[in-house]
Amino acid sequence: MPAPREELAPRAVTDRRAALARLDSQRRCLVMGVVNVTPDSFSDGGRWLSPDAAVAHAHRLVAEGADILDVGGESTRPGSRRVPADVEIDRVLPVVRALAGSGTPLSVDTVHAETAQACLAAGAAIINDVSGGLADPEMATVVAAHGAPYVLGHWRGDPATMNDLAVYDDVAAEVRGELTTRIAAMTTAGLDPALVVVDPGLGFAKDRQDDWQVLAALDDLLAMGHRVLVGASRKRFLGRLLAGPDGSPAPPPERDRATAAVSAIVAAAGVWGVRVHDVPGSADAVRVAAAVAEARRQR
């Protein structure tokens, strides 16, 4: 595994600190734009597989209003196969290197500590781990060594098994409890709790009613005291909501307006960020939510 933070190039550390300071200065929900460097993601697999295509797409997302870019090299759609860390690194590291220092903070969507280490050393600012540290026990050590913000997702199993694990008595309470357990485990391993962002993992080991129940209980997640990231973009529960007369779910690109609606609702509730494929609608939505919140403060 590559060397930890103390051996990083000074520029990488400086760029990360400057990027995070810019995020902290925002007074609204942040928009995280998705850059999938994968052949098989459910929404746009294969479109941005080459580094040049991925970098060009990332620049478009920033021009459209993305505050953060989330680069991922492994699909987590239900039924997808795990990707070895070396393959994932080959996909994402050239993109991270090309975008580092561009002024937009980079997040890396990975469950592999080796990938996290390589990308943080190359200038990434945030690690987005949908497994909440369950997939790789070294993740907490790596992220802690770099002092990087860490998105801790709710996860009960990998994409091959997660649909079978969507069994709850009270999904909102159980998601909160399992997130609390994972936060405790990661902070015990050295992660600064102030750097934790929680993600309720919509679509991960949850059916469509579970997803709606989690969103309805968003205040309970916010009450945990950590920043919250919501990733509803183009997910199955929206496709089923928008099903056509024959019952077929709306295809992923036709779920963008519904995604923006979710972004507006959760931004108004006070979440830290939304992770989306289509940036313009959500960029507008979070700004509307911020304007209403500011008007309320002025009353």
Side-chain angles (χ1 to χ4, degrees):
M1 184 173 290
R5 183 179 59 178
E6 55 267 29
E7 297 185 22
L8 292 180
R11 177 178 173 180
V13 176
T14 300
D15 287 347
R16 181 178 304 123
R17 289 174 179 165
L20 296 176
R22 281 191 293 275
L23 292 183
D24 289 340
S25 70
Q26 296 282 7
R27 298 192 60 182
R28 58 167 171 78
C29 175
L30 301 170
V31 177
M32 177 184 281
V34 177
V35 182
N36 281 326
V37 194
T38 58
D40 57 345
S41 290
F42 81 97
S43 173
D44 53 8
R47 294 190 67 187
W48 325 116
L49 188 57
S50 77
D52 287 346
V55 169
H57 180 55
H59 287 310
R60 282 193 295 272
L61 295 178
V62 172
E64 292 169 345
D67 301 297
I68 306 167
L69 295 168
D70 191 44
V71 183
E74 178 178 11
S75 172
T76 53
R77 64 177 173 78
S80 63
R81 290 189 170 189
R82 297 292 308 278
V83 173
D86 58 341
V87 173
E88 184 182 50
I89 291 170
D90 285 345
R91 291 175 180 174
V92 302
L93 192 56
V95 180
V96 170
R97 285 175 172 158
L99 293 171
S102 67
T104 301
L106 300 180
S107 168
V108 175
D109 181 358
T110 182
V111 301
H112 298 285
E114 187 176 352
T115 302
Q117 173 71 0
C119 291
L120 287 168
I126 300 166
I127 295 301
N128 179 12
D129 179 1
V130 298
S131 83
L134 286 169
D136 190 332
E138 296 299 320
M139 184 65 84
T141 302
V142 168
V143 178
H146 288 267
Y150 176 71
V151 180
L152 185 155
H154 178 262
W155 201 66
R156 282 186 164 183
D158 65 26
T161 63
M162 63 184 181
N163 281 349
D164 296 330
L165 302 174
V167 180
Y168 302 90
D169 292 321
D170 183 335
V171 62
E174 290 173 56
V175 166
R176 178 174 173 169
E178 289 167 26
L179 284 169
T180 299
T181 299
R182 290 309 307 154
I183 292 167
M186 296 296 279
T187 55
T188 297
L191 188 66
D192 182 352
L195 295 174
V196 172
V197 180
V198 296
D199 178 350
L202 298 177
F204 288 85
K206 297 168 190 72
D207 64 26
R208 60 179 172 175
Q209 291 305 319
D210 294 330
D211 290 327
W212 292 117
Q213 288 296 320
V214 169
L215 284 175
L218 195 57
D219 285 348
D220 292 338
L221 285 177
L222 292 164
M224 294 173 66
H226 294 276
R227 291 168 290 178
V228 175
L229 176 73
V230 171
S233 183
R234 297 181 176 177
K235 289 194 172 175
R236 290 176 298 167
F237 76 108
L238 296 178
R240 290 170 180 165
L241 176 71
L242 305 174
D246 64 352
S248 299
E254 294 181 16
R255 304 171 192 174
D256 288 333
R257 291 188 296 267
T259 298
V262 174
S263 294
I265 292 167
V266 300
V271 305
W272 173 78
V274 291
R275 180 181 182 273
V276 299
H277 299 83
D278 180 69
V279 165
S282 287
D284 289 350
V286 301
R287 285 165 173 81
V288 169
V292 172
E294 179 61 26
R296 284 178 177 153
R297 284 191 290 269
Q298 293 174 359
R299 291 185 65 185

